[in-house]
Amino acid sequence: MSKKVYIGCDHAALHMKNDIVGYLNDKGYDVEDMGTYTPDKVDYPVYAEKVGRAVVADKGSLGILICGTGIGMSMAVNKIRGVRAAAVSEVYSAILTRKHNDANVLCFGARVIGIETAKMIVDGFLEAEYEGERHAKRVGMIAALEEGSSLS
Ligand code: RB5
């Protein structure tokens, strides 16, 4: 398994991020930890940008962003062209956002879920594949919105 995974967090999620990095390394993923690396307070959009730009630049890679809720990270990273990020708290959505939305960044909250749920969510997200076909038109419409087009 050699899928490239970029991961980032803020201070609220440092321990969970470190645990997930170790978990993914043990599983054989090629993980790049883009910080934060210390418990000092930081601004989550900085790490959202690092991971989002890395994922867009590295075709086929996936990103993981963890903050307190997962929400701020998802809001910030979704502002980057080419990112499709989902904030999730359970496995079903983690799998379906890959299969149907072709999500390339997974966000979740270290203050919302525990580490075992986080591991299951990460597994579901990284192991699921985009199904294309009927979903491709809709994902294309998301891209059109991103470019400023109107759909109606
Ligand atoms: C930090 O306190 C917290 O606001 C942040 O981790 C995140 O939950 C924001 O969405």
Side-chain angles (χ1 to χ4, degrees):
M1 202 178 297
S2 61
K3 194 173 277 180
K4 179 80 181 191
V5 180
Y6 297 93
I7 188 166
C9 70
D10 71 358
H11 52 282
L14 178 66
H15 294 299
M16 184 172 277
K17 184 265 289 173
N18 289 342
D19 286 350
I20 295 294
V21 168
Y23 179 68
L24 292 178
N25 279 328
D26 288 348
K27 289 194 137 203
Y29 285 96
D30 178 6
V31 185
E32 185 165 334
D33 182 354
M34 308 192 86
T36 186
Y37 307 110
T38 75
D40 299 338
K41 287 194 189 316
V42 293
D43 300 319
Y44 59 82
V46 171
Y47 299 90
E49 180 183 10
K50 288 178 194 289
V51 168
R53 295 211 189 282
V55 167
V56 170
D58 186 355
K59 194 169 163 49
S61 69
L62 293 171
I64 299 173
L65 285 164
I66 320 170
C67 61
T69 59
I71 295 170
M73 285 291 198
S74 67
M75 287 180 167
V77 78
N78 270 319
K79 298 297 181 189
I80 296 172
R81 181 174 288 126
V83 166
R84 287 175 304 280
V88 310
S89 299
E90 36 71 34
V91 179
Y92 180 81
S93 299
I95 294 170
L96 268 288
T97 201
R98 280 289 301 130
K99 288 187 171 186
H100 289 192
N101 313 126
D102 198 18
N104 51 12
V105 178
L106 170 72
C107 304
F108 52 87
R111 293 171 177 162
V112 179
I113 59 172
I115 185 62
E116 296 308 321
T117 299
K119 289 176 183 173
M120 291 174 71
I121 283 172
V122 166
D123 285 344
F125 183 78
L126 296 181
E127 290 167 18
E129 296 291 343
Y130 175 48
E131 291 177 346
E133 297 183 0
R134 72 186 189 279
H135 306 294
K137 175 185 169 199
R138 296 155 188 164
V139 172
M141 292 166 85
I142 295 173
L145 287 173
E146 193 172 67
E147 297 305 324
S149 298
S150 174
L151 302 178
S152 54

